[in-house]
Amino acid sequence: MLYAAGEIILSLLAVFGLFSALWLLFRRAMFAQAGDQPGACAVVAARGDGSGLEQTVKELLWLRLGGARHYAVLIADAGLDTKGKAVAAALANSLPEVLVCPMERLTDYLDLM
């Protein structure tokens, strides 16, 4: 009985180790090292009161934590009201990798990246 339990535990550890190794190889293949490649920028078009804006920006920043290429998040004001502008400004002030720009000047900001 004890021998069978030991085999089961050893088998589970082997499966977990194999899964972990395959996961690391997959991540390495999907997220190539940035090196000297040009930077990337995620553009979020924001409208209205900015509902969901904070969640969207935090999701994009969370992707960066996984080892993916580092990129800036650019919030393009496509008709934010005063509440939405306050949300966007709060995100830009609290997170250094987040910028806010008017939609009309989007290309100017992208040229700077």
Side-chain angles (χ1 to χ4, degrees):
M1 171 91 168
L2 189 59
Y3 180 73
E7 282 187 357
I8 290 172
I9 291 173
L10 189 60
S11 297
L12 289 173
L13 287 174
V15 167
F16 178 74
L18 181 62
F19 176 75
S20 297
L22 289 174
W23 177 252
L24 290 174
L25 286 173
F26 172 74
R27 289 183 51 77
R28 181 139 175 105
M30 291 302 293
F31 300 126
Q33 299 299 322
D36 59 352
Q37 298 173 359
C41 180
V43 178
V44 178
R47 293 176 182 83
D49 64 354
S51 63
L53 182 60
E54 181 177 6
Q55 183 67 26
T56 302
V57 169
K58 296 223 173 162
E59 286 173 358
L60 287 169
L61 294 176
W62 180 80
L63 288 174
R64 291 178 47 170
L65 296 176
R69 157 182 279 181
H70 291 287
Y71 53 85
V73 176
L74 186 59
I75 300 173
D77 182 351
L80 287 169
D81 59 16
T82 54
K83 182 180 175 189
K85 288 181 191 236
V87 170
L91 286 169
N93 290 334
S94 64
L95 302 167
E97 54 274 335
V98 176
L99 300 170
V100 180
C101 75
M103 185 63 92
E104 305 82 41
R105 298 204 43 222
L106 182 60
T107 55
D108 296 335
Y109 277 79
L110 289 176
D111 288 339
L112 296 175
M113 300 269 163

